[in-house]
Amino acid sequence: MRFGGSVRDQEREALNPGYKLNALTIAGGAQREVGEDTHLGFGLSYVRSDLNSVFSDVEGDRFEAGVILKRRYGATRISGSLSAGYGHYDSRRLVDLATPGLHALGKPDLWSASLLGKISHDLVTGDNSYVRPMVGVGVTRVLRNAYGESGAGGANLQVEKEWDTFVSLHPAIEFGGEHALEDSTLLRPYLRLGLTRFLSDNDRHITASLQGAPAGVEPFTVVTKSDSTYADVSLGLDVLTKKGATVRLDYTGQFSSHSSANAVWVKLSMPF
């Protein structure tokens, strides 16, 4: 079981209106050994998010399910995961033309599918410490369904269906160790530093038309562009009890030229 909260701040710039995104996540899953040094796992998650910007507010729920296959070859670990998700949201866009404070209301939803591969290798640097270089590659495909706004008359938008594809590279290095307490509890602190680099454009296109536009008027497209490179940091502590339960306390951060994200997590794992 995993529970956490996060805050992401995006600066306003020429091709990005800027926003603040708050999210709460709860997730759970299980894994079992399916062969020698091979494990298969699955997980489910729920995210409640609230995005606020100068021109619009969006809040909603997202559900995701995934599977992961992990294999260990001595000090080398290889994993592959596949996940799919669905989100349903309520949006409120400030129109504020003829009538001050007027908002157009929408109910956008989206589907997504992600594939991630990862490889790491442990280098022992002492009796109770290690260094773990790793690299991952991810592909995410997002479908945003068409929807229509209401509440603003002819200023309502009819938004078209849109596909987005994101390809990303994730090199990182982790430093960790282990300390045993007198009651046989193990403490395992760790620090991970890395990068997220989008190999594809990190852009989102929205094509829409005004519901009150005269016949023959072509739809318009708005492009929102985000940074392509992010610095990633994660630090935490695993507490392993002598009965086999593990509690993880974790902080993760992601930073770029125009954005920052911070999250804290608590995770509980138990053998079965």
Side-chain angles (χ1 to χ4, degrees):
M1 182 69 68
R2 188 177 187 226
F3 178 80
S6 63
V7 178
R8 177 176 290 274
D9 289 293
Q10 169 68 49
E11 294 179 6
R12 185 177 179 181
E13 48 182 327
L15 291 178
N16 196 311
Y19 60 83
K20 183 174 184 177
L21 175 63
N22 298 298
L24 290 175
T25 301
I26 184 169
Q31 72 171 16
R32 64 175 300 171
E33 189 173 9
V34 294
E36 185 178 358
D37 296 323
T38 304
H39 289 80
L40 177 66
F42 74 93
L44 301 170
S45 69
Y46 165 74
V47 180
R48 177 67 181 180
S49 62
D50 183 8
L51 183 149
N52 297 283
S53 71
V54 175
F55 304 109
S56 64
D57 301 320
V58 181
E59 63 178 18
D61 306 292
R62 175 173 172 79
F63 303 89
E64 192 166 4
V67 294
I68 184 171
L69 182 65
K70 299 185 290 186
R71 173 76 174 178
R72 184 165 185 164
Y73 299 91
T76 300
R77 308 179 190 194
I78 299 175
S79 65
S81 63
L82 175 66
S83 62
Y86 170 76
H88 180 73
Y89 304 91
D90 294 309
S91 65
R92 191 178 70 152
R93 181 177 60 87
L94 179 64
V95 177
D96 206 17
L97 295 175
T99 305
L102 183 65
H103 290 86
L105 307 179
K107 291 186 174 295
D109 61 356
L110 62 82
W111 294 86
S112 67
S114 299
L115 181 65
L116 176 65
K118 181 179 174 182
I119 184 170
S120 66
H121 185 79
D122 290 353
L123 304 172
V124 178
T125 58
D127 292 339
N128 297 301
S129 60
Y130 67 89
V131 175
R132 180 180 296 157
M134 64 188 74
V135 64
V137 178
V139 179
T140 298
R141 182 79 163 154
V142 179
L143 167 63
R144 289 180 279 116
N145 286 324
Y147 70 95
E149 293 181 326
S150 62
N156 291 323
L157 294 179
Q158 189 64 41
V159 181
E160 298 182 4
K161 180 174 71 173
E162 198 77 46
W163 288 92
D164 296 310
T165 302
F166 305 101
V167 181
S168 55
L169 181 68
H170 306 270
I173 187 168
E174 180 176 304
F175 306 90
E178 181 176 280
H179 176 69
L181 302 182
E182 292 183 359
D183 62 355
S184 299
T185 298
L186 297 179
L187 303 180
R188 293 177 178 173
Y190 63 90
L191 169 66
R192 186 183 307 120
L193 304 172
L195 290 174
T196 294
R197 172 67 181 180
F198 283 89
L199 306 179
S200 60
D201 291 332
N202 193 15
D203 301 344
R204 291 151 186 84
H205 298 73
I206 297 176
T207 300
S209 56
L210 288 169
Q211 293 179 6
V217 175
E218 293 293 323
F220 60 90
T221 299
V222 176
V223 179
T224 301
K225 185 174 181 63
S226 300
D227 294 325
S228 296
T229 303
Y230 296 80
D232 302 319
V233 59
S234 178
L235 59 91
L237 176 68
D238 289 336
V239 181
L240 287 73
T241 69
K242 60 182 179 181
K243 294 184 178 180
T246 301
V247 177
R248 168 171 286 193
L249 306 176
D250 182 71
Y251 161 81
T252 59
Q254 188 175 70
F255 308 94
S256 69
S257 299
H258 303 96
S259 71
S260 64
N262 298 277
V264 291
W265 302 94
V266 177
K267 181 180 179 181
L268 174 64
S269 302
M270 298 185 68
F272 67 93

